Amino acid sequence: MRLLLKFLDKMRCFRKRSTIPFLVALITFLLFINLYIEDGYVLEEDKRQLRETSMHPLNSERYVHTFKEITNFSGTINVTYRYLAGTPLPRKKYLTIGLSSVKRKRGNYLLETIKSIFDQSSYEELKEIVVVVHLADFDLAWCESLVHEISRKFGHHIIAGRLLVIHAPEEYYPSLDGLKRNYNDPEDRVRFRSKQNVDYAFLLNFCTNLSDFYMMLEDDVRCSRNFLTALKKVVASREGSYWVMLEFSKLGYIGKLYHSRDLPRLAHFLLMFYQEMPCDWLLIHFRGLLAQKDAIRFKPSLFQHMGYYSSYKGAENKLKDDDFEEDSLDIPDNPPASLYTNINVFESYDAAKAYSSVDEYFWGKAPSTGDFYVIVFNKATKISKIKIITGTDDRQNDILHHGALEVGEKLVGTKKGRQCSSYITLGEFKNGNIEVHDVDHKIVFDIECVRIVVTASQKEWLIIRSISLWTTQGASQ
């Protein structure tokens, strides 16, 4: 305002000479002031608010609201990529697998990682995936040499449109000098992790429209057999529930699954905070700001870290995921369903946690005769196998001591929700567990409910650690 008054004082003496020039000058000045105030103040305010999100609890509604408002990005970042091998196909796939790789001082595992992705996938699974490799090193000679190796070993996958290799030119990168020295990291470490954030941002940006889902891997990973089929089972079981990120490994930026529609926002987010913290910390803030408070991680892990030397200075990195299994075909289908129980639930150990592949469980207070836990499917299904485990290693008495497993049909609405009106008993629990095979051969109808019934009261509380169902339709259901 002070600037405006000074300007008007200076302009007062010119009014009599010419009204039009005065108005033109005044309008120009006001527009300038407006742009300066809006762009400068709003930009700084947005930066301030976003910086604060990294220092406050992730469940703060205030910051969720702020982030959603100021990062409503629907467009991609303007980067002109170099296609080093392959071109995108017009048809969307089910899954894009993204890898970012730079030159390492010791060892290079990228070719082994690509080989594992393709070797561990069936021909039918290969039709549904596309692998995008971002060679993010500024040494173009190294990039060209590696592309030659990739093309020689995986040429048929490139021709089939299953493998793309890209490069984002250095001129699109923000400054990597004079960065914030957060966490007392040395300057070269800050530069490395900041550039890595940008590498991933450009990779995510490129992959936005290639598929329905996006999986982030690192460039030194081994895959479990038929990992796509296992992943699809998990996604199908989460139908109707809200999630931002599903985790299929507990390590780093390995095995993290997103909806492709969220990639533009995530790419912008990584660019905004590229110098603040490592990418695997940023992704936790990202999903928290989009209202997924807790991690959703599945077991067994589908991906294993195999690199011995880090891409940062070739330092040793012996991290392994002890939940990894080479063969993931036995992951249950657990079709979408609603869960009900009349057992008194302890704290937040609710019924849904027993039905998920996540490492959680249902925990209820001492049940009485006739108490139940029931699964009501969204649509009737044929089930081939049911396996239920109660109790945990550290609470071995909190099992179902006396109980029966039933399956039902003929859904009816009640005050407490939908229930089946007719049930058939499949078997009794033994030592807290039950496993029934060939259910589809024993039951003639399509099953609408699965029910656990307490047949005798017990003093001990009840933990239902896992409920696993396999359907005859598998992941296609």
Side-chain angles (χ1 to χ4, degrees):
M1 184 58 68
R2 189 181 301 167
L3 288 172
L4 180 59
L5 291 174
K6 184 181 287 188
F7 179 81
L8 292 174
D9 281 339
K10 288 184 179 180
M11 295 301 297
R12 193 176 292 120
C13 62
F14 294 103
R15 285 184 187 173
K16 295 180 180 179
R17 299 180 189 175
S18 175
T19 304
I20 294 176
F22 168 78
L23 291 175
V24 171
L26 178 60
I27 291 169
T28 302
F29 179 79
L30 290 174
L31 285 173
F32 173 78
I33 290 295
N34 183 60
L35 288 172
Y36 176 83
I37 291 173
E38 284 190 359
D39 288 352
Y41 175 77
V42 173
L43 181 60
E44 288 306 313
E45 179 65 10
D46 289 351
K47 285 182 178 178
R48 182 189 66 76
Q49 290 177 335
L50 283 171
R51 276 199 301 271
E52 288 179 359
T53 63
S54 66
M55 299 183 289
H56 285 73
L58 296 181
N59 63 352
S60 167
E61 292 184 4
R62 172 191 171 192
Y63 291 109
V64 170
H65 177 72
T66 301
F67 179 73
K68 286 183 176 179
E69 277 195 345
I70 65 180
T71 61
N72 187 23
F73 300 115
S74 57
T76 55
I77 301 163
N78 186 20
V79 178
T80 302
Y81 298 89
R82 291 181 60 203
Y83 287 80
L84 303 182
T87 54
L89 294 177
R91 184 180 71 84
K92 264 191 170 186
K93 299 295 187 75
Y94 180 85
L95 180 70
T96 299
I97 300 170
L99 308 169
S100 181
S101 188
V102 296
K103 181 168 59 177
R104 295 171 180 258
K105 291 184 180 294
R106 303 172 67 183
N108 190 296
Y109 311 95
L110 177 61
L111 296 177
E112 294 177 60
T113 300
I114 298 172
K115 184 176 186 298
S116 180
I117 292 171
F118 292 136
D119 285 356
Q120 298 289 59
S121 302
S122 68
Y123 178 71
E124 291 302 316
E125 289 171 329
L126 288 175
K127 293 178 181 179
E128 299 190 76
I129 65 173
V130 56
V131 179
V132 178
V133 178
H134 178 205
L135 295 185
D137 206 281
F138 297 151
D139 183 344
L140 297 183
W142 174 83
C143 291
E144 290 174 6
S145 173
L146 191 54
V147 167
H148 178 75
E149 282 294 301
I150 292 172
S151 300
R152 184 174 63 83
K153 292 189 176 183
F154 307 106
H156 59 298
H157 291 298
I158 293 173
I159 292 170
R162 288 191 288 267
L163 176 60
L164 307 175
V165 185
I166 62 169
H167 176 77
E170 185 175 0
E171 57 263 29
Y172 289 98
Y173 278 71
S175 174
L176 297 173
D177 297 317
L179 301 172
K180 291 182 181 180
R181 296 282 296 277
N182 294 344
Y183 316 111
N184 295 318
D185 279 347
E187 188 173 344
D188 59 345
R189 173 65 183 171
V190 173
R191 178 185 172 89
F192 171 83
R193 61 172 171 79
S194 298
K195 179 183 176 296
Q196 188 177 55
N197 285 332
V198 183
D199 296 341
Y200 283 132
F202 288 162
L203 173 59
L204 294 162
N205 182 62
F206 178 87
C207 295
T208 295
N209 296 311
L210 299 182
S211 60
D212 297 320
F213 298 96
Y214 175 87
M215 171 71 74
M216 178 65 79
L217 294 183
E218 294 181 3
D219 64 348
D220 52 356
V221 168
R222 187 168 87 250
C223 307
S224 67
R225 188 174 296 108
N226 301 110
F227 64 88
L228 179 64
T229 297
L231 182 150
K232 290 181 70 176
K233 286 184 179 183
V234 169
V235 171
S237 73
R238 304 292 299 186
E239 182 183 333
S241 66
Y242 177 77
W243 58 270
V244 176
M245 180 177 73
L246 303 182
E247 303 183 31
F248 294 88
S249 170
K250 65 182 180 183
L251 300 177
Y253 217 163
I254 297 173
K256 306 303 186 278
L257 184 74
Y258 301 91
H259 296 279
S260 291
R261 63 175 179 264
D262 288 333
L263 296 187
R265 184 176 289 177
L266 179 54
H268 281 280
F269 183 78
L270 290 175
L271 273 183
M272 279 183 179
F273 299 109
Y274 77 101
Q275 60 177 311
E276 300 295 337
M277 62 185 70
C279 55
D280 48 341
W281 295 6
L282 283 175
L283 67 89
I284 296 172
H285 286 260
F286 178 77
R287 60 133 167 105
L289 288 165
L290 291 185
Q292 181 189 317
K293 179 182 176 182
D294 300 315
I296 305 174
R297 187 170 73 84
F298 295 88
K299 291 184 179 182
S301 296
L302 301 181
F303 307 97
Q304 178 65 285
H305 179 258
M306 67 176 176
Y308 186 75
Y309 298 109
S310 168
S311 53
Y312 172 62
K313 281 190 167 183
E316 289 188 3
N317 183 358
K318 299 179 182 179
L319 286 175
K320 296 295 178 184
D321 189 335
D322 50 14
D323 293 323
F324 173 75
E325 290 183 11
E326 191 76 33
D327 192 339
S328 63
L329 278 179
D330 202 35
I331 286 180
D333 298 302
N334 284 18
S338 300
L339 296 309
Y340 305 97
T341 184
N342 66 343
I343 300 171
N344 191 3
V345 178
F346 175 63
E347 293 186 349
S348 61
Y349 295 88
D350 56 80
K353 293 185 177 179
Y355 191 64
S356 168
S357 298
V358 179
D359 189 22
E360 300 174 321
Y361 51 81
F362 163 77
W363 198 2
K365 297 181 181 180
S368 302
T369 303
D371 283 352
F372 62 85
Y373 176 110
V374 63
I375 302 164
V376 180
F377 299 123
N378 292 359
K379 60 181 180 180
T381 186
K382 291 187 181 296
I383 296 175
S384 58
K385 185 172 79 168
I386 301 175
K387 181 179 180 180
I388 300 173
I389 299 174
T390 68
T392 60
D393 292 339
D394 58 341
R395 295 188 178 274
Q396 297 182 15
N397 286 328
D398 286 2
I399 63 172
L400 181 56
H401 294 275
H402 302 282
L405 175 65
E406 304 175 338
V407 293
E409 61 173 340
K410 300 177 182 177
L411 272 177
V412 294
T414 69
K415 291 181 179 180
K416 296 182 179 180
R418 296 182 305 155
Q419 297 277 0
C420 284
S421 59
S422 174
Y423 284 94
I424 293 177
T425 301
L426 283 180
E428 303 287 329
F429 280 75
K430 294 181 179 179
N431 299 318
N433 303 325
I434 189 169
E435 185 169 345
V436 183
H437 295 261
D438 301 320
V439 177
D440 51 328
H441 295 160
K442 299 171 182 175
I443 302 299
V444 296
F445 55 82
D446 286 355
I447 295 170
E448 295 180 272
C449 303
V450 172
R451 185 168 70 174
I452 300 168
V453 179
V454 179
T455 54
S457 300
Q458 61 186 59
K459 296 178 181 179
E460 297 83 5
W461 288 16
L462 172 63
I463 290 176
I464 303 179
R465 183 170 25 160
S466 64
I467 298 173
S468 303
L469 308 177
W470 286 262
T471 66
T472 56
Q473 293 91 348
S476 64
Q477 180 162 314

